[in-house]
Amino acid sequence: MHKNFSEETLRNFTKQVFTEMGCSEEHAELATDVLIQADLRGVDSHGVARLSGYYRLCCKGRINTTPNIRIIHETPTTATVDGDSGLGLVVAPFAMKIAIEKAKIYGSGWVSVKNSNHFGIAGYHSLMAVEEDMIGISMTNASPLVAPTYSNERMLGTNPMCYAFPAGNYPPVVVDMATATAANGKLEIAQRAKKQVPEGWIQDKLGNSTTDPDALKNGGSLLPLGSDKDHGSHKGFGLSATVDIFSAVLSGANYGPWVPPFVAFLDPPSDPVGEGIGHFVGAMRVDGFRPIDEFKQHLDNWILTFKNATTVNPNKKVVIPGEPEYLFTQERKQSGIPLVQPVVDDLNQLATTLKINGL
Amino acid sequence: MHKNFSEETLRNFTKQVFTEMGCSEEHAELATDVLIQADLRGVDSHGVARLSGYYRLCCKGRINTTPNIRIIHETPTTATVDGDSGLGLVVAPFAMKIAIEKAKIYGSGWVSVKNSNHFGIAGYHSLMAVEEDMIGISMTNASPLVAPTYSNERMLGTNPMCYAFPAGNYPPVVVDMATATAANGKLEIAQRAKKQVPEGWIQDKLGNSTTDPDALKNGGSLLPLGSDKDHGSHKGFGLSATVDIFSAVLSGANYGPWVPPFVAFLDPPSDPVGEGIGHFVGAMRVDGFRPIDEFKQHLDNWILTFKNATTVNPNKKVVIPGEPEYLFTQERKQSGIPLVQPVVDDLNQLATTLKINGL
């Protein structure tokens, strides 16, 4: 059961919510754009469905809607940003803008961010660089749900990393992935549908393999990409560790088990090792390496070659990273963004609380 | 069956081989160091066992032992290097030196490389940056053995990526991983032992799952990290694509199915889209983000925290990326580097060919 809403309707509603939360006009518009792009790109778990979550964190005083986001350390091509507990939806684009400005002058720019909150889809930030004919990189740590190989303790978030490259005639190549085998959103879908999940996604509290989607709620943990040692879960753990170190050990944010939870009903650890959650973003000018037209022409050839690879089932073609999200956007800009009823209900309740018009 | 050799014995032998191949004193020493470090770190598949392979490529004229390695394009923090068909063992450190020099001045440095050959272990190059209290990044594409998700065509190499971070009291964190579920070396071990491999490592020519380690030789392919779509193989494919684009589409090397094979008995594709194989290396000054001592102290805390995580089996502790390689190095520096008999025989045959003393 779902209902379709036009992009414009959802934009207006979302912007009003952020404004009511105390954001400036500019911040409300930016935060809205990050969420709407997630919905347009088909990443429903990271779109307006998260709005109530941000609101609750705000009520708890864990999100500052009038942050003084600032550079606290820098070189010509690197910087550390203090997000002042702001919305990650606003802090991360601020950081990426700095990276892009540095790249314009020096060829590349890299910004590590502390004292931030959930930044939405990684792809949004990387694509800001692509707009400038740059390669965009973005990652963030997140509250601990994933156990390292051999462990049954939740030590890492689903810590996504994203690499985006500008193409010519094709949409950009956007590799935007959680470093766990399955992100939490996929589990929630199985929970709602009361369906078992494949082995290798989660383990129970004791570390036993399970297909029960509720195991995570009952003290279990998600598994790193690779699922088990034999299938390379130490690599998934290594990637997740990389994201954590770039995002938090480098910036001064909380890392590993100290990352504050996204949900407002759980308190952050009382013995923090840093401030807030951390991100890492970067931009590199393509023409710092070769002329942009040459690059795009070869990336188009790369895409075409992979699209035409022989497949086991002729009806299932090779999917270029970023292509499904592009197709979703084309379609949803036309026919609207579908929201499931529980999300609509939740947003309407939020509207009542804030005394604004519902959807 | 194996025999132990001292680091010094293998260094002298290896250097002599590279010298006989026509390398300068300096290049022979550097290439030797890359291979010996692989053996010390326990990555036996990438050490002196590869020497004959390099020699055969040299005989075929595919490796130029007196290359004019040079920058062909640059900005303050980016560069493209033409390896002039040199040994990747020499070309990649040349590129990393440039990245480090740029990072010293501007905070970060990034070099894409074309017209190169196999560069040994990625970890070697990243660790060059760590020596300078920088974060080191290195990746390379490789000849096609891996099929994208849904495909049964070999389109990508095992395309490793490596991230290395300097710690304080602990060895550096080094995430050095093939983006396939299992690297080719693991398959070769199973082939020699005539053992089946776990499902999810390879598929046969038609794309059927198989546990036969010889399936790869018979037209099958390796699977991207994640093994199948349900377990995130599209993420492994995305990572491998990222490595291919950074290393080759950005530099002007061959990408995807056009990457020349490492083995000399197979000819490179007759319709190249670039020159040689490609690498990508980078260095970032840690103190471009926060004081190095602060970073190291927190990375030590990160390492300690993860080492102490609860494990399912109390005898199997969480393994910090780079720790096993560090322990191998400590042990092998003491008791020598073990080589299996077929490798000793192969190296002694090479010695006979080159008219130098065998092992």
Side-chain angles (χ1 to χ4, degrees), chain B residues 37-307:
Chain B
Q37 290 294 347
D39 280 315
L40 285 172
R41 291 174 70 77
V43 194
D44 302 350
S45 56
H46 285 56
V48 296
R50 290 239 175 198
L51 212 35
S52 297
Y54 292 114
Y55 174 71
R56 285 190 293 268
L57 282 174
C58 189
C59 293
K60 279 261 184 170
R62 285 176 49 197
I63 285 177
N64 171 9
T65 52
T66 55
N68 173 23
I69 311 167
R70 62 198 185 281
I71 295 176
I72 54 170
H73 192 108
E74 75 181 312
T75 71
T77 66
T78 65
T80 302
V81 159
D82 182 332
D84 196 21
S85 300
L87 281 161
L89 308 170
V90 168
V91 175
F94 178 95
M96 183 52 102
K97 268 185 201 158
I98 295 167
I100 289 170
E101 287 313 308
K102 287 177 178 294
K104 279 184 185 165
I105 305 170
Y106 299 104
S108 70
W110 305 90
V111 182
S112 194
V113 179
K114 72 171 181 178
N115 207 0
S116 187
N117 282 286
H118 192 271
F119 80 2
I121 50 168
Y124 183 93
H125 313 296
S126 295
L127 283 168
M128 286 173 65
V130 168
E131 285 296 310
E132 308 281 342
D133 279 344
M134 296 179 184
I135 296 169
I137 291 139
S138 55
M139 49 186 88
T140 185
N141 69 2
S143 43
L145 290 174
V146 179
T149 303
Y150 300 139
S151 173
N152 56 338
E153 218 182 319
R154 299 168 172 189
M155 298 288 283
L156 290 158
T158 52
N159 295 5
M161 44 172 51
C162 174
Y163 299 93
F165 306 91
N169 298 320
Y170 292 100
V173 173
V174 186
V175 178
D176 183 357
M177 49 173 270
T179 53
T181 298
N184 204 15
K186 286 202 179 172
L187 226 70
E188 286 166 359
I189 294 169
Q191 284 162 358
R192 277 199 295 272
K194 301 204 181 303
K195 275 192 177 170
Q196 300 291 293
V197 297
E199 288 221 29
W201 285 20
I202 38 176
Q203 61 186 4
D204 68 16
K205 192 159 59 171
L206 299 172
N208 299 314
S209 174
T210 176
T211 60
D212 174 8
D214 292 322
L216 189 63
K217 288 182 182 167
N218 300 323
S221 42
L222 289 170
L223 295 167
L225 178 58
S227 300
D228 58 31
K229 180 67 167 70
D230 260 356
H231 295 87
S233 67
H234 54 296
K235 300 181 183 188
F237 167 47
L239 292 171
S240 187
T242 298
V243 172
D244 203 29
I245 297 170
F246 270 124
S247 303
V249 180
L250 196 54
S251 68
N254 289 292
Y255 43 80
W258 286 280
V259 181
F262 177 74
V263 289
F265 63 85
L266 290 177
D267 284 330
S270 55
D271 57 343
V273 292
E275 292 173 90
I277 79 166
H279 321 308
F280 184 74
V281 297
M284 275 188 285
R285 257 168 51 199
V286 168
D287 67 4
F289 298 93
R290 80 188 294 187
I292 181 75
D293 290 347
E294 260 180 52
F295 177 84
K296 286 185 175 177
Q297 185 194 318
H298 279 284
L299 190 54
D300 279 356
N301 188 40
W302 190 99
I303 293 167
L304 185 67
T305 304
F306 279 82
K307 278 174 90 81

Side-chain angles (χ1 to χ4, degrees), chain A residues 185-267:
Chain A
K186 285 201 180 173
L187 226 68
E188 286 167 0
I189 294 169
Q191 283 162 359
R192 278 198 294 270
K194 302 206 181 304
K195 273 193 179 171
Q196 300 291 294
V197 297
E199 287 222 30
W201 284 21
I202 36 175
Q203 61 186 4
D204 68 16
K205 191 159 60 171
L206 299 172
N208 298 314
S209 175
T210 177
T211 59
D212 173 9
D214 291 322
L216 190 63
K217 286 183 182 167
N218 300 322
S221 41
L222 289 170
L223 295 167
L225 178 58
S227 299
D228 59 30
K229 179 67 167 70
D230 260 358
H231 295 87
S233 68
H234 54 295
K235 300 180 184 189
F237 167 46
L239 292 171
S240 186
T242 298
V243 171
D244 203 29
I245 297 170
F246 270 123
S247 303
V249 179
L250 195 55
S251 68
N254 289 292
Y255 42 81
W258 287 281
V259 180
F262 177 74
V263 289
F265 62 84
L266 291 177
D267 284 330

